[in-house]
Amino acid sequence: MAEILPLKAWRYNEKLAQNLEDLTAPLFDVVSTKQREVLYGNPLNSIHLSVPQGENPSENAQKILLRWKSEGVLDQDSLPGIYVYYQYFRLPGDHEESCRKGFIAQIKAYDWEEKQILRHESTIVSAVNDRIDLLRATEIQASPTHGLYEDESTELEFHMDAAIASPLYELEDYQGVREVLCVIHDAKVISRFLAVLADKKVILADGHHRLEGAIEYKKLQQNAFPEAKWKGSDYHLMYLTNVHGNHLKILPTHRLFYGLDLSEAELLDRIGLWFDIRPFGDADELVNYTFQRKWSFGLILSEEAYVIKFKPDRFEEVRPELPESLRNLDLVILHHILFEKILGLNGEQQRKSDQLAFERNFSRCVREVRYGKASFAIITREIELEQVLEVCKSGAVMPQKSTYFYPKALGGLLFGSIKQEEFDYDYGAFFDQTTR
């Protein structure tokens, strides 16, 4: 049973919010080095809380946050609310604008074993520890994770559509996405949000490291505030979107490999034992190839490009211990056969290796190989939402960077505090008799 609560968000003061585009930032794990340099140039940009700088970044974030609060850079809303969040976007080639509808609330940071929030990717310990340190120092969350829920009735969309007509903010973000945020304070309407989510499981689309950090921080604080009915450290900021009747896009993430100790001819010989190989010609044109057949990929070498298709008669050799829904995934085939069996990197080594990189930008993949920086690139196709749901429900996890839900939520639109004195409220007013 997924328990959510409204939140008393911290937001940039009214005057600063007039230029909110200059204060928001990409999520900590997608912001590029060059983007960071630009954003750090603004002393009030939210990146100073989400990706702090310096030898003691968490302590620096704490000092910045205290200063922003004392100087009125950030103000806390006096009443808890559900923050409706719509993202309007077009993908290349789209003529019609899409809209992903959702809302931001606080959700209990359930342990994975409780199976109320289902994950589909494993995490990297060092990245989780960074998030724990930041939570411990600041007790605030600068960006929401992204969760999916299934509600065929689409009841909440009626309330969200009504609220979005009176936006708090409307801006264009770094992705070219039109971001619109509003708030619902009506207790009866908020109670419906709590009731609808009360019998749902949530599938984590984005933010595995941030949520795992929140789970671990909750454990560290388990003995704090024993008299509190609702403890801030038990909750986590999440953007929730309905799987049904929504524009949920998953884009592919390609693979780059560096420092190959084989010749290209030797690599092709080894790949040929497992994959059918067809010369493609111009690597730049692979971006238009649809990869309709499962288990097929683009391979870019220094002078040539290929389409490689896994040989179905060798499927029995692929991870027989895994559930069928996971074994069938393109990226499981790719990581197990190419990176493990052919190149000798086991799963743990793949997660930690600096030879393997992940890249969403197709043109950058071509450039990295063409200019001799990367040894080769693998071009992948997007995973289907139904596959993600199936894997999550099986309890298994996918290879890292299997999904890239688009668009990404934006950091700095609002901040969720788990500091007890700022979190405290009689949330019982939002639970009607049917949800208790």
Side-chain angles (χ1 to χ4, degrees), residues 49-94:
L49 298 185
S50 59
V51 194
Q53 295 175 290
E55 293 184 8
N56 299 297
S58 296
E59 291 179 17
N60 291 339
Q62 181 187 50
K63 293 175 183 176
I64 289 169
L65 177 60
L66 290 173
R67 186 172 70 248
W68 286 4
K69 287 179 179 179
S70 66
E71 294 177 356
V73 172
L74 299 180
D75 294 325
Q76 187 176 25
D77 289 348
S78 58
L79 292 175
I82 293 289
Y83 292 80
V84 178
Y85 182 27
Y86 282 15
Q87 294 177 291
Y88 299 87
F89 63 96
R90 284 188 176 89
L91 292 173
D94 287 353

Coordinates of all heavy atoms in Angstrom, one line a residue, residues 49-94:
L49 N 22.6 22.9 -4.5 CA 22.0 22.0 -3.5 C 22.0 20.5 -4.0 O 22.1 19.6 -3.2 CB 20.6 22.4 -3.1 CG 20.5 23.8 -2.4 CD1 19.0 24.0 -2.0 CD2 21.4 23.9 -1.2
S50 N 21.8 20.3 -5.3 CA 21.7 19.0 -5.8 C 23.0 18.4 -6.2 O 23.2 17.2 -6.0 CB 20.8 19.0 -7.1 OG 21.3 19.8 -8.1
V51 N 24.0 19.2 -6.7 CA 25.3 18.7 -7.0 C 26.3 19.7 -6.5 O 27.0 20.4 -7.2 CB 25.5 18.5 -8.5 CG1 26.8 17.7 -8.8 CG2 24.3 17.9 -9.2
P52 N 26.5 19.8 -5.1 CA 27.3 20.8 -4.5 C 28.8 20.6 -4.9 O 29.2 19.5 -5.1 CB 27.0 20.7 -3.0 CG 26.6 19.2 -2.9 CD 25.8 18.9 -4.1
Q53 N 29.5 21.7 -4.8 CA 31.0 21.7 -5.1 C 31.8 21.6 -3.9 O 31.3 21.7 -2.7 CB 31.3 22.9 -5.9 CG 30.7 23.0 -7.3 CD 31.0 24.4 -7.9 OE1 30.5 25.4 -7.5 NE2 31.8 24.3 -9.0
G54 N 33.2 21.6 -4.1 CA 34.1 21.7 -3.0 C 34.6 20.4 -2.4 O 34.1 19.3 -2.8
E55 N 35.6 20.5 -1.5 CA 36.1 19.4 -0.9 C 35.1 18.7 0.1 O 35.2 17.5 0.3 CB 37.4 19.7 -0.1 CG 38.6 20.2 -0.9 CD 39.8 20.5 -0.1 OE1 39.8 20.2 1.1 OE2 40.8 21.0 -0.7
N56 N 34.2 19.5 0.6 CA 33.2 19.0 1.5 C 31.8 19.4 0.9 O 31.2 20.3 1.5 CB 33.3 19.5 2.9 CG 34.6 19.0 3.6 OD1 34.9 17.9 3.7 ND2 35.5 20.0 3.9
P57 N 31.4 18.8 -0.2 CA 30.2 19.3 -0.9 C 29.0 19.3 -0.1 O 28.2 20.2 -0.2 CB 30.1 18.3 -2.1 CG 31.0 17.1 -1.7 CD 32.0 17.6 -0.9
S58 N 28.7 18.2 0.8 CA 27.5 18.2 1.6 C 27.5 19.3 2.6 O 26.4 20.0 2.8 CB 27.4 16.8 2.3 OG 27.3 15.8 1.3
E59 N 28.6 19.6 3.2 CA 28.7 20.7 4.2 C 28.5 22.1 3.5 O 27.8 23.0 4.0 CB 30.0 20.7 4.9 CG 30.2 19.5 5.8 CD 31.6 19.6 6.5 OE1 32.2 20.7 6.5 OE2 32.0 18.5 7.0
N60 N 29.0 22.2 2.3 CA 28.8 23.4 1.5 C 27.3 23.6 1.1 O 26.8 24.7 1.2 CB 29.6 23.4 0.2 CG 31.1 23.5 0.5 OD1 31.5 23.9 1.6 ND2 31.9 23.0 -0.4
A61 N 26.7 22.5 0.8 CA 25.2 22.6 0.5 C 24.4 23.0 1.7 O 23.5 23.8 1.6 CB 24.7 21.3 -0.1
Q62 N 24.8 22.5 2.8 CA 24.1 22.8 4.1 C 24.3 24.3 4.4 O 23.3 25.0 4.7 CB 24.7 22.0 5.2 CG 24.1 22.3 6.6 CD 24.9 21.6 7.7 OE1 26.1 21.7 7.8 NE2 24.1 20.8 8.5
K63 N 25.5 24.9 4.2 CA 25.7 26.3 4.5 C 24.9 27.2 3.5 O 24.3 28.2 3.9 CB 27.2 26.6 4.4 CG 28.0 26.0 5.5 CD 29.5 26.3 5.2 CE 30.3 25.6 6.3 NZ 31.8 25.7 6.0
I64 N 24.9 26.7 2.2 CA 24.1 27.5 1.2 C 22.6 27.5 1.5 O 22.0 28.5 1.5 CB 24.4 26.9 -0.2 CG1 25.8 27.2 -0.6 CG2 23.4 27.5 -1.2 CD1 26.3 26.5 -1.9
L65 N 22.1 26.3 1.9 CA 20.7 26.2 2.2 C 20.3 27.1 3.4 O 19.3 27.8 3.3 CB 20.3 24.7 2.5 CG 18.9 24.5 2.9 CD1 17.9 24.9 1.8 CD2 18.7 23.0 3.2
L66 N 21.1 27.1 4.4 CA 20.8 27.9 5.6 C 20.8 29.4 5.2 O 20.0 30.1 5.7 CB 21.8 27.6 6.7 CG 21.8 26.2 7.4 CD1 22.9 26.0 8.3 CD2 20.4 26.1 8.1
R67 N 21.8 29.8 4.4 CA 21.8 31.1 4.0 C 20.6 31.5 3.1 O 20.0 32.6 3.3 CB 23.1 31.4 3.2 CG 23.3 32.9 2.9 CD 24.7 33.2 2.3 NE 24.9 32.6 1.0 CZ 25.7 31.6 0.6 NH1 26.4 31.0 1.6 NH2 25.8 31.2 -0.6
W68 N 20.2 30.6 2.2 CA 19.1 30.9 1.3 C 17.8 31.0 2.2 O 16.9 31.9 1.9 CB 18.9 29.8 0.3 CG 19.9 29.9 -0.8 CD1 21.0 30.7 -0.9 CD2 20.0 29.0 -1.9 NE1 21.7 30.5 -2.1 CE2 21.1 29.4 -2.7 CE3 19.2 27.9 -2.4 CZ2 21.4 28.8 -3.9 CZ3 19.5 27.3 -3.6 CH2 20.6 27.7 -4.3
K69 N 17.7 30.2 3.2 CA 16.5 30.3 4.1 C 16.5 31.6 4.9 O 15.5 32.3 4.9 CB 16.4 29.1 5.0 CG 16.0 27.8 4.3 CD 16.1 26.7 5.4 CE 15.6 25.3 4.8 NZ 15.7 24.2 5.8
S70 N 17.6 31.9 5.4 CA 17.7 33.1 6.3 C 17.5 34.4 5.5 O 17.0 35.4 6.0 CB 19.0 33.2 7.1 OG 20.1 33.3 6.2
E71 N 18.0 34.4 4.2 CA 17.9 35.6 3.4 C 16.6 35.7 2.6 O 16.4 36.7 1.9 CB 19.1 35.7 2.5 CG 20.5 35.8 3.2 CD 21.7 35.8 2.3 OE1 21.5 35.6 1.0 OE2 22.8 36.0 2.7
G72 N 15.8 34.7 2.7 CA 14.5 34.7 2.0 C 14.6 34.3 0.5 O 13.7 34.6 -0.2
V73 N 15.7 33.7 0.1 CA 15.8 33.2 -1.2 C 14.8 32.2 -1.5 O 14.1 32.1 -2.5 CB 17.3 32.7 -1.5 CG1 17.3 32.0 -2.9 CG2 18.3 33.8 -1.5
L74 N 14.6 31.3 -0.5 CA 13.6 30.3 -0.5 C 12.6 30.6 0.6 O 12.9 31.0 1.7 CB 14.2 28.9 -0.2 CG 15.2 28.4 -1.2 CD1 15.7 27.0 -0.8 CD2 14.7 28.3 -2.6
D75 N 11.3 30.3 0.3 CA 10.2 30.5 1.3 C 9.5 29.1 1.3 O 9.3 28.5 0.3 CB 9.2 31.6 0.8 CG 9.8 33.0 0.9 OD1 10.7 33.2 1.8 OD2 9.5 33.8 0.0
Q76 N 9.0 28.8 2.5 CA 8.2 27.5 2.6 C 6.7 27.9 2.6 O 6.2 28.8 3.2 CB 8.5 26.8 3.9 CG 7.8 25.4 4.0 CD 8.2 24.6 5.2 OE1 8.6 25.2 6.2 NE2 8.1 23.3 5.1
D77 N 6.0 27.1 1.7 CA 4.5 27.2 1.7 C 4.0 26.9 3.1 O 4.4 25.9 3.7 CB 3.9 26.3 0.6 CG 4.3 26.8 -0.8 OD1 4.8 27.9 -0.9 OD2 4.0 26.0 -1.8
S78 N 3.0 27.6 3.5 CA 2.4 27.4 4.8 C 1.5 26.2 4.9 O 1.3 25.6 6.0 CB 1.7 28.7 5.3 OG 0.6 29.0 4.4
L79 N 0.9 25.8 3.8 CA 0.0 24.7 3.8 C 0.5 23.6 2.9 O 1.1 23.8 1.9 CB -1.4 25.1 3.3 CG -2.2 26.1 4.1 CD1 -3.5 26.5 3.3 CD2 -2.6 25.5 5.4
P80 N 0.3 22.3 3.3 CA 0.7 21.2 2.5 C -0.2 21.2 1.2 O -1.4 21.5 1.2 CB 0.4 20.0 3.3 CG 0.2 20.5 4.7 CD -0.3 21.9 4.6
G81 N 0.4 20.8 0.1 CA -0.3 20.7 -1.1 C 0.2 19.5 -2.0 O 1.2 18.9 -1.8
I82 N -0.6 19.2 -3.0 CA -0.2 18.3 -4.1 C 0.2 19.2 -5.2 O -0.6 20.0 -5.7 CB -1.4 17.3 -4.5 CG1 -1.7 16.4 -3.4 CG2 -1.0 16.6 -5.8 CD1 -0.7 15.3 -3.1
Y83 N 1.4 19.0 -5.7 CA 1.9 19.9 -6.8 C 1.7 19.2 -8.2 O 2.4 18.2 -8.4 CB 3.3 20.3 -6.5 CG 3.4 21.2 -5.3 CD1 3.4 20.6 -4.0 CD2 3.5 22.6 -5.4 CE1 3.4 21.5 -2.9 CE2 3.6 23.4 -4.3 CZ 3.5 22.8 -3.0 OH 3.6 23.6 -1.9
V84 N 0.8 19.7 -8.9 CA 0.5 19.1 -10.2 C 1.6 19.6 -11.2 O 1.9 20.7 -11.2 CB -0.9 19.5 -10.7 CG1 -1.1 18.9 -12.1 CG2 -2.0 19.0 -9.8
Y85 N 2.1 18.6 -12.0 CA 3.3 18.9 -12.8 C 3.1 18.3 -14.2 O 3.0 17.1 -14.3 CB 4.5 18.2 -12.1 CG 5.9 18.4 -12.7 CD1 6.2 19.5 -13.5 CD2 6.9 17.5 -12.5 CE1 7.4 19.7 -14.1 CE2 8.1 17.6 -13.1 CZ 8.4 18.7 -13.9 OH 9.6 18.9 -14.4
Y86 N 3.0 19.2 -15.2 CA 2.8 18.8 -16.6 C 4.0 19.1 -17.4 O 4.6 20.2 -17.2 CB 1.5 19.4 -17.2 CG 0.2 18.8 -16.8 CD1 0.1 18.0 -15.7 CD2 -0.9 19.2 -17.5 CE1 -1.1 17.4 -15.4 CE2 -2.2 18.6 -17.2 CZ -2.3 17.8 -16.1 OH -3.5 17.3 -15.7
Q87 N 4.4 18.2 -18.3 CA 5.5 18.5 -19.2 C 5.1 18.3 -20.6 O 4.7 17.2 -21.0 CB 6.7 17.5 -18.8 CG 7.3 17.7 -17.5 CD 8.4 16.7 -17.1 OE1 8.1 15.6 -16.9 NE2 9.6 17.2 -17.1
Y88 N 5.2 19.4 -21.4 CA 4.8 19.4 -22.8 C 6.0 19.3 -23.7 O 7.0 20.1 -23.5 CB 4.0 20.7 -23.1 CG 2.7 20.9 -22.3 CD1 2.7 21.5 -21.0 CD2 1.5 20.4 -22.8 CE1 1.6 21.6 -20.3 CE2 0.3 20.6 -22.1 CZ 0.4 21.2 -20.8 OH -0.8 21.4 -20.1
F89 N 6.0 18.4 -24.6 CA 7.2 18.2 -25.4 C 6.9 17.6 -26.8 O 5.9 17.1 -27.0 CB 8.2 17.2 -24.6 CG 7.6 15.8 -24.4 CD1 7.9 14.8 -25.3 CD2 6.7 15.6 -23.4 CE1 7.3 13.5 -25.1 CE2 6.2 14.3 -23.2 CZ 6.5 13.3 -24.1
R90 N 7.9 17.7 -27.6 CA 7.9 17.1 -29.0 C 9.2 16.4 -29.2 O 10.3 16.9 -28.9 CB 7.8 18.2 -30.1 CG 6.4 18.7 -30.3 CD 6.3 19.6 -31.5 NE 5.0 20.1 -31.8 CZ 4.5 21.2 -31.3 NH1 5.2 22.0 -30.6 NH2 3.3 21.6 -31.6
L91 N 9.2 15.2 -29.6 CA 10.4 14.4 -30.0 C 10.7 14.8 -31.5 O 9.8 15.2 -32.2 CB 10.2 12.9 -29.9 CG 10.1 12.5 -28.4 CD1 9.7 11.0 -28.4 CD2 11.4 12.7 -27.7
P92 N 11.9 14.6 -32.0 CA 12.2 14.9 -33.4 C 11.3 14.1 -34.3 O 11.0 12.9 -34.1 CB 13.6 14.3 -33.5 CG 14.2 14.5 -32.2 CD 13.1 14.2 -31.2
G93 N 10.7 14.8 -35.3 CA 9.7 14.2 -36.2 C 8.3 14.3 -35.8 O 7.4 14.1 -36.5
D94 N 8.0 14.7 -34.5 CA 6.7 14.8 -34.0 C 6.0 16.1 -34.5 O 6.7 17.2 -34.4 CB 6.6 14.8 -32.5 CG 6.9 13.4 -31.9 OD1 7.0 12.5 -32.6 OD2 7.0 13.3 -30.6

